[in-house]
Amino acid sequence: MMLEVCAYPKPGNVDRCHDYPETRLEHFLASTLFARPALEEAEQGQGRIGEIIKHAVRDTNCHQGGNTHFGAFILLVPLVYGKDIAGAMAAIAKTDVSDAIAFYKAFAMTSVKIHATDELDVNDPHALTLIRDRDMTLLDVMQHSAGNDMVAREWITGFPMTRRGADLLKEIGPGRESIVRTFLVLLATEPDTFIIKKHGLAVAQETMMAARDVLDGKRTAEDLDADCIARDINPGSMADIVIASIFVALGEGWSWDS
Amino acid sequence: MMLEVCAYPKPGNVDRCHDYPETRLEHFLASTLFARPALEEAEQGQGRIGEIIKHAVRDTNCHQGGNTHFGAFILLVPLVYGKDIAGAMAAIAKTDVSDAIAFYKAFAMTSVKIHATDELDVNDPHALTLIRDRDMTLLDVMQHSAGNDMVAREWITGFPMTRRGADLLKEIGPGRESIVRTFLVLLATEPDTFIIKKHGLAVAQETMMAARDVLDGKRTAEDLDADCIARDINPGSMADIVIASIFVALGEGWSWDS
């Protein structure tokens, strides 16, 4: 989480050279510090995934910067719990309705917006009743969201974007520049669902093509960054996936420190 | 430690907008993450100060960025151990020869340079024999260094610069800008002993006067920053003291998050 937020220039997102008015570099870094107890809990490989995600959200909610790492925790908690993608998938398969309920309670603590017409709206107390009535597991909840949310989709599809990002980091080589390039390659590959929710598919696709132009040397990352910032386009889900990719790559011997 | 390294522009030191070739923002932030077990050990208020400083140095030495927070740990460990300056002074008074030996072992793990003619050179195995023969406490070691090192001087003189920095943070008000201004005010008040060791007293005094010019609006902090970077002048001891000041101020209700 620390390495991802420091990497720059990262079009549209908070990085070492750019804050949002309400959410600053320090908020992201405070979140990396406050997340430790929950991530240590995950590392034990015991307890329930939904509850651990709730602890991570609760412990990092103490700053005034709004949601910083909710999507990252959805990916990191099972990965840290299971040690790798295979382990994460095994852990995910064991989630039950108690995980789903804990997750919804975590969601309610954040300021993350979901689709207003969603019948599983976290702000609607009726959603928890629906989850209990249908005996939905946390994996079922992710299945429900996977169409509109690439982070949830990682759970359903076996973390393919996370895997691709980890492979890219290792291919490109050690050091911080790899993180920026991996971010750009992933951004050029899939429309960011956080952008879709905020601005619609056309804008997300336009951002994909713009990332492709940066990779092709037709424009600079700094230029795309300035454009994204001016238009309030932030590929937040891609940042969550890059965090998961960094975790997986580090576990496979990739080095940030060179 | 996180708040200090993010604050900018901080003349001469690593900050959000400036790295050194060998030591980057990520190294300082990795150190803030890896320091946690030792700082939690200090927070218990048990065990020995020298040993805890050694643990902090050992645990944060795993990155390739060289020494990042050795001076900060010398101040933070007793402050966290004792909860405040009075508690830190009580803890310091109880150090004995075992603390001094653990501290020298920690020092030997770092790449911190000390005066070549110093008879207590950490690279000299004979130094440990001298410490044992003289039954020196860690407070005695700091007394020995206090003339040339403002961090050691804080131990001997009751943390007056730390206190002044904490008061400045509270006076100036909440938020990140307070950290930069506090840094500048302290820099304009005392010659940084890290600069003296590297460049001599004249350069340290010149840096003091330059900081005063920034406070008086005669030049910008950015301009002084560029000048310090060009001349390899980094007020590293002042950064350590500002870290201690932030800890004390936070304990007294100052808020970084506004």
Side-chain angles (χ1 to χ4, degrees):
Chain A
M1 288 156 58
M2 179 275 281
L3 294 170
E4 190 281 328
V5 78
C6 286
Y8 73 100
K10 239 174 19 234
N13 286 332
V14 168
D15 61 26
R16 97 181 248 191
C17 302
H18 175 245
D19 293 319
Y20 282 104
E22 305 294 319
T23 312
R24 304 190 302 268
L25 180 65
E26 286 92 334
H27 291 122
F28 279 88
L29 290 170
S31 177
T32 71
L33 293 164
F34 291 132
R36 180 158 176 154
L39 294 177
E40 283 181 337
E41 197 184 344
E43 199 180 28
Q44 304 295 312
Q46 290 166 351
R48 303 219 56 93
I49 298 275
E51 197 65 25
I52 299 172
I53 293 173
K54 194 178 83 179
H55 295 167
V57 172
R58 177 196 64 198
D59 294 347
T60 57
N61 237 358
C62 53
H63 62 67
Q64 303 297 313
N67 175 54
T68 40
H69 286 115
F70 184 59
F73 295 140
I74 295 172
L75 300 173
L76 270 187
V77 167
L79 285 169
V80 173
Y81 192 101
K83 314 299 178 205
D84 54 22
I85 290 175
M89 290 306 288
I92 281 169
K94 289 184 190 143
T95 66
D96 65 14
V97 66
S98 75
D99 294 284
I101 288 168
F103 177 82
Y104 262 72
K105 287 181 176 169
F107 207 171
M109 290 182 215
T110 73
S111 52
V112 177
K113 300 282 186 303
I114 63 165
H115 202 274
T117 59
D118 196 312
E119 67 171 340
L120 290 169
D121 189 326
V122 288
N123 300 309
D124 179 0
H126 189 55
L128 286 181
T129 310
L130 275 178
I131 287 170
R132 281 198 192 90
D133 287 352
R134 296 180 191 176
D135 197 30
M136 290 175 80
T137 70
L138 184 47
L139 184 56
D140 294 331
V141 170
M142 293 295 173
Q143 177 74 61
H144 175 85
S145 303
N148 298 320
D149 188 310
M150 67 202 305
V151 169
R153 200 184 303 148
E154 290 290 280
W155 273 48
I156 305 306
T157 53
F159 294 78
M161 288 280 282
T162 300
R163 178 71 266 162
R164 177 87 187 112
D167 290 342
L168 281 165
L169 288 167
K170 291 157 69 186
E171 270 168 51
I172 301 167
R176 55 156 69 141
E177 290 74 17
S178 279
I179 299 173
V180 174
R181 185 143 186 106
T182 295
F183 181 83
L184 282 169
V185 173
L186 294 180
L187 196 60
T189 313
E190 295 265 352
D192 186 292
T193 49
F194 191 76
I195 301 178
I196 297 177
K197 285 178 203 175
K198 206 163 162 183
H199 298 284
L201 179 60
V203 173
Q205 287 179 318
E206 199 186 305
T207 308
M208 272 177 71
M209 286 182 284
R212 169 54 54 200
D213 285 346
V214 173
L215 291 170
D216 291 345
K218 291 180 190 163
R219 66 190 291 189
T220 64
E222 288 80 0
D223 178 55
L224 176 57
D225 187 28
D227 188 39
C228 285
I229 290 166
R231 296 168 63 197
D232 199 22
I233 295 171
N234 55 319
S237 294
M238 211 56 92
D240 296 330
I241 287 171
V242 169
I243 288 170
S245 295
I246 291 171
F247 174 78
V248 170
L250 286 170
E252 295 172 356
W254 177 75
S255 169
W256 64 275
D257 189 8
S258 65
Chain B
M1 288 156 59
M2 180 274 281
L3 295 170
E4 190 281 328
V5 78
C6 286
Y8 73 100
K10 240 174 15 232
N13 286 332
V14 168
D15 61 26
R16 180 168 176 170
C17 302
H18 176 245
D19 293 319
Y20 282 104
E22 306 294 319
T23 311
R24 304 190 302 269
L25 180 65
E26 286 92 335
H27 292 122
F28 278 88
L29 290 170
S31 176
T32 71
L33 293 164
F34 291 133
R36 181 160 175 153
L39 294 177
E40 283 181 338
E41 197 185 344
E43 199 180 28
Q44 303 296 312
Q46 290 165 350
R48 304 219 56 91
I49 298 275
E51 198 65 25
I52 299 172
I53 293 173
K54 193 178 83 178
H55 295 167
V57 172
R58 178 196 64 199
D59 295 347
T60 57
N61 236 0
C62 52
H63 61 67
Q64 303 298 313
N67 174 56
T68 40
H69 286 116
F70 184 58
F73 295 140
I74 295 173
L75 300 174
L76 270 186
V77 167
L79 285 168
V80 173
Y81 192 100
K83 315 298 177 207
D84 54 23
I85 291 176
M89 290 306 288
I92 281 169
K94 290 184 190 142
T95 64
D96 64 17
V97 66
S98 75
D99 293 285
I101 288 167
F103 177 81
Y104 262 71
K105 288 181 176 169
F107 208 171
M109 290 182 215
T110 72
S111 53
V112 177
K113 299 281 187 305
I114 64 163
H115 203 274
T117 60
D118 197 310
E119 66 171 340
L120 289 169
D121 189 327
V122 288
N123 299 308
D124 179 1
H126 188 56
L128 287 181
T129 310
L130 274 179
I131 288 170
R132 281 198 193 91
D133 288 352
R134 296 179 188 174
D135 197 29
M136 289 175 82
T137 70
L138 184 47
L139 184 55
D140 293 333
V141 169
M142 294 295 171
Q143 177 74 59
H144 175 86
S145 304
N148 298 320
D149 188 310
M150 67 203 302
V151 169
R153 199 184 304 148
E154 289 291 280
W155 273 49
I156 305 305
T157 52
F159 293 79
M161 288 279 282
T162 300
R163 178 71 264 162
R164 178 84 188 114
D167 290 342
L168 281 164
L169 288 167
K170 291 156 69 185
E171 270 169 50
I172 301 167
R176 55 157 66 144
E177 290 74 18
S178 278
I179 298 172
V180 174
R181 184 138 188 109
T182 295
F183 181 84
L184 282 169
V185 173
L186 294 181
L187 196 60
T189 311
E190 294 265 351
D192 186 292
T193 49
F194 191 77
I195 301 178
I196 297 177
K197 285 177 204 174
K198 205 163 164 184
H199 299 283
L201 179 60
V203 172
Q205 287 179 317
E206 199 187 304
T207 308
M208 272 177 71
M209 286 182 286
R212 169 52 54 200
D213 284 346
V214 173
L215 291 170
D216 291 346
K218 292 181 188 161
R219 66 190 292 188
T220 65
E222 288 79 1
D223 178 56
L224 177 56
D225 188 28
D227 187 39
C228 285
I229 291 166
R231 297 168 63 197
D232 199 23
I233 295 170
N234 55 318
S237 294
M238 212 55 92
D240 296 330
I241 287 171
V242 169
I243 288 171
S245 294
I246 291 171
F247 174 78
V248 170
L250 287 170
E252 296 172 355
W254 177 76
S255 168
W256 64 276
D257 189 7
S258 64

